[in-house]
Amino acid sequence: QVQLQESGPGLVKPSGTLSLTCAVSGGSISTDDWWTWVRQSPGKGLEWIGEIHHAGSTHYNPSLTSRVTMSLDKSKNQFSLRVTAVTAADTAVYYCARVGGTTAFEPRLDYWGQGTLVTVSS
Amino acid sequence: ETVLTQSPGTLSLSPGERATLSCRASQSVRSSFLAWYQQRPGQAPRLLIYGASSRATGIPDRFSGSGSGTDFTLTISRLEPEDFALYYCQQYLSSPRTFGPGTKVEIK
């Protein structure tokens, strides 16, 4: 059973950098294909932030691409999200998830972390 | 960007009734690349259906998915109390991997 757990500061100042980590157990970021971040602003729907492949390639949402970076730490079996120049609009619950299947056949987000709330406020 | 539209926004039904949720895409999505998720209050989304019609592990058979091209449907044959929740569709054909705005299934 794959388990994911997000961690990071719950409060970030405006114009600062949001940094989150997703620790993976029961699966390997070195072999499983893609890993993703999704966020949900309070009372709103789901927004796909981007995904990272175990070989390091990435796809980002064009609405965020200038501020987002994803990376892997294979030694710790975890992956990370960095969002720069944050504003109140970045306040959200951030989820990490695994992409099951492959991007060529029946891709889906089959395992999710519980989510972590990040508030942008001074 | 492929935009997903879900209807209705809210579905008010009683336990035991049938729920039919719609997801429409702004461009054709191969069935293989359409998934449905359930989100209960305060919880992370949970995968229900992938490949438009395949149930995820552990999902009861009262949940079924169908559709192709631009029109997809999630059906819950008989609503159980735990099924009253939010439901999202997602397309994985093109980047960004967009979600629909969601359908809330509430108790009538």
Side-chain angles (χ1 to χ4, degrees):
Chain A
Q1 176 84 347
V2 178
Q3 293 184 308
L4 298 93
Q5 178 68 59
E6 305 90 349
S7 62
L11 181 65
V12 181
K13 287 184 171 22
S15 77
T17 297
L18 178 162
S19 295
L20 295 174
T21 295
C22 181
V24 179
S25 59
S28 172
I29 66 166
S30 300
T31 55
D32 291 347
D33 272 353
W34 291 86
W35 302 86
T36 192
W37 290 94
V38 173
R39 70 182 183 180
Q40 186 170 35
S41 299
K44 303 293 186 183
L46 302 170
E47 179 181 25
W48 182 82
I49 300 172
E51 61 193 5
I52 184 164
H53 190 259
H54 67 82
S57 56
T58 54
H59 300 135
Y60 299 142
N61 192 319
S63 67
L64 295 166
T65 191
S66 62
R67 300 192 293 125
V68 166
T69 304
M70 295 181 185
S71 60
L72 302 168
D73 186 339
K74 294 182 180 180
S75 67
K76 295 181 179 178
N77 207 35
Q78 62 189 32
F79 60 105
S80 297
L81 170 71
R82 197 163 169 268
V83 182
T84 60
V86 297
T87 69
D90 294 305
T91 294
V93 175
Y94 285 76
Y95 297 101
C96 58
R98 189 188 81 161
V99 182
T102 72
T103 51
F105 185 70
E106 297 184 336
R108 66 271 193 180
L109 303 181
D110 56 359
Y111 292 98
W112 295 67
Q114 64 186 25
T116 187
L117 174 64
V118 178
T119 301
V120 178
S121 175
S122 55
Chain B
E1 174 174 324
T2 301
V3 177
L4 299 180
T5 303
Q6 291 186 244
S7 60
T10 302
L11 200 48
S12 298
L13 296 167
S14 300
E17 291 194 290
R18 181 185 187 90
T20 303
L21 288 66
S22 173
C23 175
R24 179 162 289 177
S26 61
Q27 54 191 292
S28 185
V29 176
R30 289 214 310 272
S31 298
S32 194
F33 295 87
L34 195 288
W36 289 91
Y37 303 87
Q38 177 194 66
Q39 187 178 35
R40 295 173 176 145
Q43 295 186 16
R46 175 175 74 141
L47 175 68
L48 292 178
I49 300 287
Y50 62 93
S53 61
S54 297
R55 271 188 302 277
T57 303
I59 300 303
D61 61 7
R62 63 180 181 273
F63 290 92
S64 63
S66 63
S68 63
T70 60
D71 290 297
F72 297 88
T73 300
L74 174 69
T75 301
I76 311 170
S77 59
R78 288 175 53 87
L79 284 164
E80 297 288 340
E82 61 268 27
D83 299 337
F84 291 92
L86 271 165
Y87 292 85
Y88 295 95
C89 56
Q90 185 199 21
Q91 66 80 23
Y92 233 91
L93 180 63
S94 60
S95 183
R97 323 292 192 185
T98 46
F99 291 91
T103 290
K104 181 180 181 181
V105 179
E106 65 175 23
I107 299 177
K108 186 174 181 180

